[in-house]
Every structure is written in C-alpha cells, then in structure tokens.
C-alpha cells in the first residue's frame, strides 16, 4: 500500500488564468488534494500517484514545471 505524500512543484504561473489552468487539470485527477501559491509559483500536491504522473499532469496546463521534492 502506497502512502500519500506531499509533493512540491514549481510551475511557471504568472496570473490567475495560469493558476486556474493548474486547478482545472488537477481537479480531473481522482485522489489528489492540492494547494497553489501563485506569488511563489508553487503547487503542493498530496497524492498516492507517482511523481512522473503528477509532473505530466501539470504539464498539460502548458506551463514549465519543475519538481522540488517531497515536503
């Protein structure tokens, strides 16, 4: 059984539209909770999904994504 971990990603968000796009793609994923810090351009995702899946999901919003590790 995989335990849920909190992952931090840096996403090149510049406006509310960008954070809205991130919200839309993450809302489509089951079993994910997330928090967005637009000024710091950070997204924290709590999920049992693997990092590669989460990274690819975030890339769907069309922004540059960098994985910072677990928090």
């Amino acid at each position: 059984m995989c335990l849920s971990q909190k992952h931090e990603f840096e996403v090149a968000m510049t406006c509310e539209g960008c954070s809205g796009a991130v919200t839309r793609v993450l809302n489509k994923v089951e079993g994910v909770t997330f928090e967005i810090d637009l000024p710091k351009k950070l997204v924290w995702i709590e999920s049992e999904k693997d990092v590669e899946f989460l990274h690819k999901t975030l890339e769907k919003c069309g922004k540059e994504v960098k994985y910072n590790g677990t928090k």
Side-chain angles (χ1 to χ4, degrees):
M1 183 173 151
C2 197
L3 293 176
S4 184
Q5 285 191 305
K6 194 169 196 174
H7 301 281
E8 182 180 282
F9 292 88
E10 193 174 321
V11 182
M13 301 176 289
T14 56
C15 64
E16 291 290 328
C18 297
S19 63
V22 170
T23 299
R24 283 190 297 280
V25 297
L26 291 176
N27 277 337
K28 293 177 183 176
V29 180
E30 198 173 311
V32 165
T33 57
F34 61 93
E35 184 183 338
I36 297 173
D37 185 332
L38 181 55
K40 292 183 180 175
K41 301 180 181 186
L42 295 175
V43 179
W44 294 280
I45 304 174
E46 197 166 331
S47 175
E48 292 180 4
K49 307 272 186 208
D50 64 54
V51 172
E52 188 177 333
F53 175 85
L54 297 173
H55 197 281
K56 286 186 186 306
T57 300
L58 284 172
E59 286 179 333
K60 290 178 184 175
C61 69
K63 301 293 174 189
E64 189 179 326
V65 179
K66 178 184 159 203
Y67 180 60
N68 291 340
T70 55
K71 298 295 165 195

